[in-house]
Structures are given as structure tokens and as C-alpha cells.
Amino acid sequence: METPEGSESHFNGNNTPQGFIHVRRARAQDQVLEREKIMQTFQDITSRLEQALAGISFDELGISDEVREQVELVHAQFKRAKERPDTSDDILFNDLISAYNSSTNDNVDPDIIQRLSEKLQLVTISDLNQESLALHEMASGGDPGAVVENMSMLLKKIKDFVQTQDPIGIPASTTNPSRDDNLTSPVVPDDFRCPISLDLMKDPVIVSTGQTYERGCIERWLEAGHGTCPKTQQKLPNKSLTPNYVLRSLIAQWCEANGVEPPKRPAQLNNTPATCTASEHSKVIELLQKLSSQNLADQCGAAGMLRQLAKRSAENRACIGEAGAIPILVSLLPTTDVSTQEHVVTALLNLSIYEENKARIITSGAVPGIVHVLKRGSMEARENSAATLFSLSLVDENKVTIGASGAIPALVLLLGNGSQRGKKDAATALFNLCIYQGNKGKAVRAGLVPILLELLTETESGMVDEALAILAILSSHPEGKAAISAAAAIPILVGVMRNGSSRNKENAAAVLVHLCNGEQQQQHLAEAQEQGIVTLLEELAESGTDRGKRKAIQLLERMNRFLKQQSQAQGDAMAQAHAQSQTLSQALVQVQADTQLEESLPPTSSHLPER
């Protein structure tokens, strides 16, 4: 991999990136030989960090649940690292010792030299020459002479081996000696690779299960007729794809930091459709004229035709949006004609799939009209209104606009009393809207929590996945946490952990992590223990999803602390009761002694008989 353009002007002489890498590699050889000392140093640091994190008083500092969760996760990782020291590279260590202790090349196993050459990335004469320069730099910098001498001997052995394998000894390219053509490309982090293609993602998108894929790969998967998440094998509630802007930014930053050209996003067919033909454009204009007429039948017919056209292709959606249809459709949302209203809101839903139309729908002031239909329209119109709000909310800034429009209470109402399809549409819209922190409190105040818990107990409703996903989001908000706690949700959540799917167990554990924290922590932990959660958490920590394992471990640690405190409190109470019993016994003994003493005394004058 070549260094980025322009980087050569910042490095020269012994400060070139190539020289720095070789100095670092030479020092690494020395560090391998001192591995025990270095490993002990890291262990000491790990132990001190674990102790420091263990001493944090969360309640006194007023740390939020989210930050506390992250700190506890890091603490758990340090604790495990302290208890399980990392193993060093024993093969590299043994190979270095063997090579150092051999007086001549004949005494060294060629396989050992080859492994060292590959492990230390000393595979060409150019590499070895640069390494020799680095060793001279180390010597001039005050490094011990014995170390440099040993490394020089090792380099000579490797050089002899390389020349034996390649007598000419000329690197593959000498056109630009200031560049390192033999450096390996940086390792791409696993989180940046698409789970399908395993390549660096250019346009990461999130599916409804929360997993991220390269857009082109997941689109081909869905177009092939699959209805499951490739990674988790869960059934996809819907086939919406949400751009993962955060991951895209992280990938760009990583590319810049590692001198890798940032991946270019492929052209999106849905966002750059071919321009519609003149005849198609004329047809759309004709429909818009009818839509603008005062004739109710013409309006209804034109809205129905636009609905169908927008459903068929991305080209049609672009053409209708560019022709100016959206403001006219928005103006008809308040109509009292049921059929027209259904056609209009569904046409807007179909048009919103095209990204540029989302902005047109928002700027045309459509949200209040869509909410009006959501509240007062027919069931079909309400369903499609909810689906339209979900589609629009895929753009982050639209979450704020929709949340401020009064849409959330109407969606909660549809979730509670709508058709099966209406409930699904309402749930997906609410989930997306509640990703924005400012909408969580509105959803809780609209009465969302009791409805979600009711859906969890109605397994035949098919809404358990959606209900738990929304609860997991709401539980991170103070109002959501309070509402879930007040609704006596723990038995229901423990029931999900006992019988639910892997993803549902994960979300139930996430809710419980938030509940079993703060003022009512002891009460909730005691209730969860009575419900038999410990065994379920141990199973989840062993075989759950990655996130589920983390949540289970957090809960187990809190439960263990609680049980320890409870046991200590019981011991203190028993000791106090025993002390009180001893005190009472001593008092009774004293009373009996006093009584016996009084009976043994002679009678006083007042007790003498009268004469």
C-alpha cells in the first residue's frame, strides 16, 4: 500500500514512515525477549484500573444510566482481564531464543529463520537494510550494546537465508525507494465489514433487526425473496433500510487515519432514477389537472391513478414529485371523501420511498394533514398514514418535526386499537420516532408503556418483537423507566427471558438493566430473584447474543452484589437479635437474683406484729 499523496514532504532521513516502522519493529524484538516484565507491567496497570473503576460511587456522582452501563461494562472487562492474563507469542519467543543462542547459521533450523522472517516482516533485502539502519539508530540513542549485537546477529542470519532463497536480492520495485511497497494493508475492523460480502462497507444501512449491511448486498438478498436477517436469521418485520450515518462517518475517519482512500458510495438506483419520457410526463400533468379540479370524481380517480403509478417504479416516483404533485395531494388530505383520502395518503406513502420526495413532503407542510388522517380517517387511511410517518422519520431531522406535530399520541392510539396491520405500522413508526430522545417522554405520557406490556402478554398478537424493542428504547429515559416500574413489568420481562427468542431475551435483559438501577434497585432485584431470574441470566450469559451476554453479565454482577448485601444484612440482624436475647437473659437472671436476695432479708420493723 502506498502512503497518501503529499505525506513524503513531512518525513525525511531517519524520520520517514519506513524508518519509523523499522525502529518500532526492532524495539518489538527486544520487547518479545522481555515479555515477562512487560506482561507484568500491563497486569499491574490493568489491576489498578479495575480497582479504580470498582471504587466509583455512581449514586453520589449522579451519573446517568447510560454512562453507568458503559462504565460497568468496562469494569467487567478489566476484571476479566485481571483474572485471565493474556498469553504471549510463545512460538516467536522460542524462535528468537533459538536463533540468538545458535553460534552459526548451520545450527539454526531453516524453518525457524523463515518463521522469524515472515513474523517480523523481513522478507526482502530492502527490509533488512532498513532494519540495520534502525539498529544503528537504537545504538546511537543509548540502547544496550548487547541487545543491538544480538539483533544484528539475528539480522545477518535472516539476510543469509533471504539471499539463499533469492540470490539476486533485488526487491520487486526500486522505482521509489522512499516508499514502502512491501507494507501490508491495514487490517479492516470487523465492524466495518459487511457480514455478507466481508468487504469494507461503502453505504452501510440498518435493517429492522438492528444489523448493518452494505446496501447493495442486502438489497440483492431481499430481491432474491429472502425475508430474514442474514446474520441473525430472524424474520424481518419490514424491509426498510435506514442509512447508518454514524458508521459511515467512522469508516471515513478510519480510512483517513490509515491512508486508505475512502470508499465511494455507489449510485443509488432508487435515488437517481432515469428521467421519465415525455409521454409519461404528459400523463402525470393531465392527472394533476384533474386532481386540481373541483370535481370530486376527477379528484378521486386522479389520486388513485397517481397512487398506482407511484407504486410501480422509482422513475414514476421521481417524475410525479418533480411535476409538483405533492403540494396538491397534501391540500386534499383534509377531504371528507373517504376514498379520495385513502388514495391521497397512500400516494404520499408510495412517493416518500424516493429520498428527494421526503424533503418535498415535509416542506409542503404535509405532516399535520397526515396526522389528521391518522386520527380521523378510515382504518386503511390510518394504517397508511402511520406507514408514511415511518418512511419520513427515516431522515433524522424529520423525527423532531413529526414528534412536535402531535403524531405520537395518535400512533399510540392506533397501536392500542388498530387492525393487525395498523398496529405493525404504528409500532415501526413509534420505534423509529423514539430513537430521538426528545420523543421518548411524549410517547410515555401518551400511555405507550401499558399498551406495550399488554402486547407482551398477548403472544397471539404477533407483536412481542416490536413491543420489546420499543420498551428497550424507552427504558433508557427517566420517564420510561418510571412508567415501566410502575406497571409491575418484572414478572412479564422474566417470562420473556424464560420463553422468548434470542433477540427478545436480549431486549428484556436490556430493560431489566435499566430497571435494576437507581432508587428502586434493591426492590426490583429482590422481585427478579423471586421470579427465578438468576438461572435465566446464567443461560443468557452463556448462549445469548453478544449484546444479550453483556446485559446478562451486568445483571448478574448487580444481583451478586445484592445477594451479598442481603446475606450480610441477615447476618447483622441475626447477630443483633442474638445480642438482644443475651441482654434479655442477663436481665432475667439479674431480676431472679434480686428477688432471691429480697426474700432472704429479715423483716423490717414495719412488718412486726402488733402487741
Side-chain angles (χ1 to χ4, degrees):
M1 180 193 73
E2 292 187 347
T3 53
E5 291 296 330
S7 62
E8 290 173 298
S9 61
H10 299 289
F11 301 91
N12 51 67
N14 289 334
N15 292 323
T16 61
Q18 172 79 356
F20 174 74
I21 290 169
H22 283 283
V23 170
R24 196 169 54 182
R25 181 165 54 210
R27 295 187 186 278
Q29 297 175 45
D30 184 27
Q31 290 170 356
V32 169
L33 297 176
E34 298 181 1
R35 61 178 187 163
E36 296 299 333
K37 179 181 177 181
I38 294 171
M39 285 174 63
Q40 186 58 49
T41 300
F42 274 104
Q43 279 298 108
D44 292 342
I45 294 172
T46 299
S47 180
R48 296 209 301 269
L49 286 170
E50 188 273 330
Q51 291 174 3
L53 291 172
I56 295 177
S57 178
F58 296 102
D59 295 333
E60 292 181 6
L61 296 175
I63 295 175
S64 67
D65 289 347
E66 290 82 358
V67 175
R68 178 170 182 167
E69 180 179 336
Q70 293 300 317
V71 173
E72 288 178 341
L73 174 60
V74 174
H75 176 231
Q77 292 170 337
F78 273 118
K79 188 175 181 180
R80 286 196 297 273
K82 185 179 74 171
E83 296 169 352
R84 187 185 65 249
D86 292 334
T87 57
S88 59
D89 193 334
D90 290 331
I91 296 177
L92 176 59
F93 176 78
N94 293 331
D95 285 347
L96 281 172
I97 291 297
S98 176
Y100 282 159
N101 293 337
S102 300
S103 58
T104 65
N105 290 353
D106 295 337
N107 297 332
V108 184
D109 186 343
D111 291 339
I112 291 178
I113 296 297
Q114 183 173 0
R115 284 199 300 269
L116 288 173
S117 173
E118 294 171 353
K119 192 79 174 181
L120 298 174
Q121 297 182 16
L122 300 172
V123 293
T124 68
I125 299 300
S126 176
D127 289 337
L128 291 158
N129 289 337
Q130 290 287 348
E131 192 76 5
S132 297
L133 292 174
L135 282 176
H136 285 297
E137 182 181 338
M138 288 179 64
S140 63
D143 279 70
V147 171
V148 174
E149 183 179 352
N150 285 337
M151 290 185 179
S152 297
M153 291 176 59
L154 174 62
L155 284 179
K156 183 178 183 305
K157 295 172 184 177
I158 296 177
K159 187 173 183 179
D160 292 343
F161 172 79
V162 170
Q163 287 180 325
T164 302
Q165 302 298 312
D166 180 13
I168 299 176
I170 301 175
S173 174
T174 57
T175 57
N176 190 354
S178 66
R179 302 255 179 144
D180 183 10
D181 295 325
N182 298 296
L183 288 178
T184 58
S185 300
V187 178
V188 179
D190 289 340
D191 289 342
F192 294 174
R193 296 179 182 272
C194 173
I196 298 175
S197 67
L198 301 181
D199 292 330
L200 183 66
M201 286 186 277
K202 303 177 180 64
D203 188 11
V205 294
I206 307 170
V207 299
S208 53
T209 59
Q211 300 295 327
T212 297
Y213 300 94
E214 173 63 31
R215 182 186 291 274
C217 294
I218 191 63
E219 283 180 344
R220 286 192 292 274
W221 170 269
L222 296 174
E223 288 169 359
H226 299 292
T228 57
C229 174
K231 189 173 182 179
T232 66
Q233 297 303 309
Q234 284 183 279
K235 184 178 180 181
L236 294 171
N238 56 69
K239 296 185 179 181
S240 61
L241 303 177
T242 305
N244 194 333
Y245 296 111
V246 175
L247 184 59
R248 188 190 302 170
S249 175
L250 290 174
I251 291 174
Q253 293 175 26
W254 178 85
C255 290
E256 182 178 355
N258 288 275
V260 177
E261 184 178 356
K264 296 180 180 179
R265 293 179 63 197
Q268 300 298 317
L269 294 178
N270 286 345
N271 294 336
T272 56
T275 306
C276 58
T277 64
S279 61
E280 291 170 336
H281 187 265
S282 298
K283 183 176 182 180
V284 170
I285 295 299
E286 180 183 347
L287 290 172
L288 294 188
Q289 291 173 348
K290 291 183 178 181
L291 196 66
S292 302
S293 72
Q294 298 302 314
N295 186 292
L296 188 59
D298 286 347
Q299 288 179 347
C300 185
M305 284 296 298
L306 289 171
R307 168 184 178 175
Q308 294 301 320
L309 286 173
K311 181 180 179 180
R312 289 176 189 167
S313 68
E315 291 80 4
N316 286 350
R317 289 189 279 273
C319 183
I320 294 170
E322 292 166 1
I326 290 173
I328 304 174
L329 288 167
V330 169
S331 69
L332 292 175
L333 284 171
T335 181
T336 56
D337 184 73
V338 174
S339 296
T340 302
Q341 191 177 68
E342 289 175 356
H343 289 323
V344 166
V345 76
T346 309
L348 288 171
L349 168 61
N350 294 337
L351 290 170
S352 70
I353 299 172
Y354 178 50
E355 290 299 314
E356 291 186 15
N357 282 342
K358 284 182 170 64
R360 293 185 179 121
I361 293 170
I362 291 292
T363 56
S364 68
V367 173
I370 296 171
V371 174
H372 168 80
V373 178
L374 180 61
K375 292 177 178 177
R376 298 180 175 84
S378 66
M379 183 53 67
E380 180 183 347
R382 293 173 67 194
E383 293 168 358
N384 291 337
S385 295
T388 305
L389 292 175
F390 165 73
S391 177
L392 296 174
S393 68
L394 293 175
V395 178
D396 286 342
E397 52 265 32
N398 292 349
K399 292 179 174 67
V400 182
T401 303
I402 296 170
S405 69
I408 290 176
L411 288 168
V412 171
L413 189 62
L414 181 61
L415 181 64
N417 62 18
S419 63
Q420 183 65 20
R421 179 180 169 186
K423 289 181 178 182
K424 290 278 187 181
D425 290 331
T428 52
L430 285 167
F431 175 86
N432 221 39
L433 289 170
C434 288
I435 292 174
Y436 170 58
Q437 186 76 359
N439 287 335
K440 294 178 182 178
K442 295 174 183 176
V444 172
R445 292 190 291 273
L448 179 56
V449 169
I451 294 175
L452 294 174
L453 291 174
E454 184 178 349
L455 290 172
L456 290 183
T457 61
E458 299 174 354
T459 54
E460 67 279 359
S461 68
M463 295 290 295
V464 175
D465 294 356
E466 292 86 349
L468 270 171
I470 300 172
L471 274 178
I473 291 180
L474 295 180
S475 64
S476 66
H477 189 275
E479 290 185 55
K481 177 180 172 181
I484 297 170
S485 177
I490 288 183
I492 300 174
L493 294 169
V494 174
V496 171
M497 292 193 63
R498 183 173 290 110
N499 302 313
S501 65
S502 297
R503 183 64 65 183
N504 289 343
K505 290 178 181 179
E506 170 192 317
N507 282 326
V511 178
L512 286 167
V513 165
H514 289 293
L515 288 183
C516 296
N517 190 22
E519 296 178 358
Q520 294 182 293
Q521 178 177 1
Q522 304 292 323
Q523 173 187 337
H524 290 322
L525 285 171
E527 185 178 1
Q529 183 200 8
E530 292 174 1
Q531 296 290 327
I533 197 175
V534 175
T535 303
L536 301 175
L537 289 175
E538 290 172 347
E539 292 174 357
L540 184 61
E542 180 69 24
S543 60
T545 63
D546 291 342
R547 179 168 172 257
K549 290 178 180 178
R550 293 198 304 270
K551 300 299 181 184
I553 291 171
Q554 285 180 269
L555 277 171
L556 282 171
E557 290 178 349
R558 293 182 191 178
M559 184 64 72
N560 289 335
R561 288 197 299 267
F562 165 70
L563 293 175
K564 186 176 180 181
Q565 293 171 359
Q566 194 177 49
S567 176
Q568 184 176 355
Q570 289 175 350
D572 293 343
M574 291 178 64
Q576 184 178 0
H578 180 70
Q580 290 175 346
S581 176
Q582 291 283 0
T583 302
L584 182 60
S585 297
Q586 292 173 1
L588 288 172
V589 170
Q590 185 63 43
V591 169
Q592 289 174 355
D594 292 345
T595 302
Q596 292 173 357
L597 179 62
E598 183 178 347
E599 291 175 350
S600 66
L601 291 174
T604 63
S605 59
S606 60
H607 294 133
L608 293 175
E610 294 182 355
R611 296 183 179 180

